[in-house]
Amino acid sequence: MLKFQNVDVSIGKTPILHDLSVTFDKGKINTIIGPNGSGKTTLLQTLNGLSHVTGGNILLEGDSFLKMPLRERAKRLSFMPQFRDSAPNISVYSLVEHGRFAYMGFSRKMSDEDKQAVQKALEYTDILDYKNRMVSELSGGLQQRVYLAMQLAQGSDYMVMDEPMNYLDYPSQREMFDLIRNLVGQGKTIIMVLHDLNYALRISDRIIVMKDRTIVGEGTPEECLGSQILQNVFQCEVDVINRSDSKQYFFI
Amino acid sequence: MNNSSVNKTGFIIGLLVLGMLFLMMLGLVFGSVNISAKDLIQIIAQRDKTSKYAVILWNIRLPRVLAGVLAGCGLGCAGVLLQGVLNNSLASPNTIGVNSGAGFFVMLSMLLLPQNLFAKSLMAFIGAFVTSVLILVLAYFAEKSRITIVLAGITISSFLSAGMNLMKIIDTDITINSTQFLIGSMAGVTMKSLYYPAVGIILGIALSIVLSKALNILALGDGVASSLGLRVNLYRVIFLLISSMMAGLVVSFAGLIGFVGLIVPHICRYLFGHDSRLLIPTSCLMGAILVLLSDLIGRVLFAPFELPVGIILSLAGGPFFLYLLMKKGGRRVNA
């Protein structure tokens, strides 16, 4: 599991988060939700070095994450950033190859194992047909799958994603939803921020609710609904529709 | 890269190498005095070093052609690195002030140690490096705003240009050399003045090619790069060091012909895509081609009078670059 212990975070010289403790469970989908400005992204970005941790500890399965060399970090935890406004003008294959950077020696030559990992990632995200295309020429939904493939090629057990379904059209959102959902079956641990509450409740094993830069609640989706914490934070009512294959949530 | 793209890469690079060699040949043959192909072969075959043509060939043309290759390669490569490191497609040795930094220090060394070639090269490197570190620090405090970096570069450039002009006034002896120096020219380059720059530039290109994968990853942004396992700040400094070394060394023998560093990476990105593994070698070769061609035009257009290469580059390269920008139309020119 990934454990934050009394963590203080600053961006630049401005303190953002103070004395924050939270645990993300292994082999589960952990989703952080909260209104804009609640500190979700700041919290996640302690994991890719963009937010500066000034106090406390982050433990990845008992090892101090902040003291780990970057390469070891990259092998154990990967990070998909928020949707990018400019996609790189390189081929899909080259971008996914970047996921193997931490494994390559100084010559940066790909071993057979690296090639296999890239191949598997392309297959899982179903973008083999696009591997020679330029990333910048693809639709937003495909680009997001390419980034997921790069993250998968990294081969880490922990996968962090910052709003992986933002700006995608409905079919692409559903594809992403299924791809992420099925990752847990491969032993991955997912830690992500989602804006869409319906998706968050449907996909997650655990929900962490943030408001005003603190954590105000956590638990299974049912627990969060039962305790009225979601309804209070987002000032809404929730209707649950039970369908044969899934639950759907409506926010009123 | 898979097999088909490896083949394509080989083809592109091969073609550019041929283009460069062809221009080098033309550069040896044409000038205010034309050497015929027959004479050229004869001079090389007979190891002739004394005839009139041979003296021109070995002492004037050859150093000049080699200087063109070195300058083009160095600036093209430095441009790719700077645009990658600063994540800014407007960055180049002259727009961010690296060239004027080198220029200022070179003029300083011409003033203080007129005959010392090593000092000249070293000072060029120091000047370029100090300026680029200054830019990096400014960029850091400006929260990496792209416009701020360029504005800061322009400001530093004009500050250092004022310094160069001041030196011209103080010591009129410098003035004779400095006109060509400020425009950028390879007239009067000697073999001796190329030794140190050649070592540095070749080393720089080799390092850049070895590290090109890291440059690709840097282009994805700090967050992605560090989560992929790249030590972002360390590599930034390494690339900055390499690019300022190359840009500075070029300034030491060819003066301020920085424009190449801005347009070449754009031309190559437009033609060959953004992958640094292809972008670095093609930018080197394309830079060499552009400098050789401009120098050749400058020598033959009004022969026996010569135009400095810097003038031709800006006169011909400028409109060509604008044309490329227009032609791209909707597609953004981006790093």
Side-chain angles (χ1 to χ4, degrees), chain B residues 227-240:
Chain B
S227 66
L228 286 171
L230 184 81
R231 294 169 69 182
V232 172
N233 288 333
L234 174 73
Y235 275 86
R236 228 182 227 135
V237 172
I238 291 176
F239 284 127
L240 208 59

Side-chain angles (χ1 to χ4, degrees), chain B residues 188-221:
Chain B
V189 170
T190 57
M191 275 301 203
K192 236 169 120 186
S193 67
L194 289 181
Y195 290 155
Y196 297 116
V199 172
I201 288 168
I202 291 168
L203 189 76
I205 292 169
L207 273 173
S208 311
I209 290 174
V210 170
L211 299 176
S212 56
K213 200 153 206 167
L215 192 66
N216 272 342
I217 288 179
L218 211 53
L220 299 175

Side-chain angles (χ1 to χ4, degrees), chain A residues 48 89 97 108 132 154, chain B residues 1-2 213 226-227 235 274:
Chain A
N48 72 350
N89 193 4
E97 236 182 62
R108 312 280 185 240
N132 292 324
Q154 216 172 318
Chain B
M1 280 190 251
N2 46 26
K213 200 153 206 167
S226 82
S227 66
Y235 275 86
H274 287 216

Side-chain angles (χ1 to χ4, degrees), chain B residues 66-140:
Chain B
L66 291 179
V69 171
L70 282 176
C73 286
L75 289 175
C77 190
V80 173
L81 298 187
L82 282 176
Q83 290 178 7
V85 164
L86 296 174
N87 211 343
N88 189 328
S89 53
L90 293 173
S92 82
N94 54 343
T95 46
I96 69 161
V98 171
N99 261 4
S100 11
F104 180 83
F105 275 68
V106 165
M107 277 189 68
L108 204 62
S109 99
M110 278 153 73
L111 188 73
L112 303 173
L113 303 158
Q115 299 303 325
N116 193 329
L117 287 174
F118 180 70
K120 202 167 145 190
S121 297
L122 185 71
M123 290 288 263
F125 169 61
I126 291 174
F129 184 64
V130 167
T131 327
S132 44
V133 168
L134 197 63
I135 297 289
L136 199 64
V137 170
L138 285 170
Y140 179 78

Side-chain angles (χ1 to χ4, degrees), chain A residues 48 50 70-71 74 79 81 85-86 88-90 94-95 97-99 101-102 104 106 108 132 147 150 154, chain B residues 1-2 210-211 213-214 216-217 220 222-224 226-231 235 273-275 277 331-332 334:
Chain A
N48 72 350
L50 286 187
L70 278 184
R71 268 165 194 264
F79 194 106
D85 54 357
S86 67
N89 193 4
I90 61 175
S94 300
L95 187 64
E97 236 182 62
H98 289 343
F101 183 76
M104 293 184 226
F106 187 71
R108 312 280 185 240
N132 292 324
Y147 270 87
M150 173 169 87
Q154 216 172 318
Chain B
M1 280 190 251
N2 46 26
V210 170
L211 299 176
K213 200 153 206 167
N216 272 342
I217 288 179
L220 299 175
D222 289 11
V224 179
S226 82
S227 66
L228 286 171
L230 184 81
R231 294 169 69 182
Y235 275 86
H274 287 216
D275 192 332
R277 287 170 295 180
R331 279 167 69 191
R332 276 179 310 160
N334 211 331

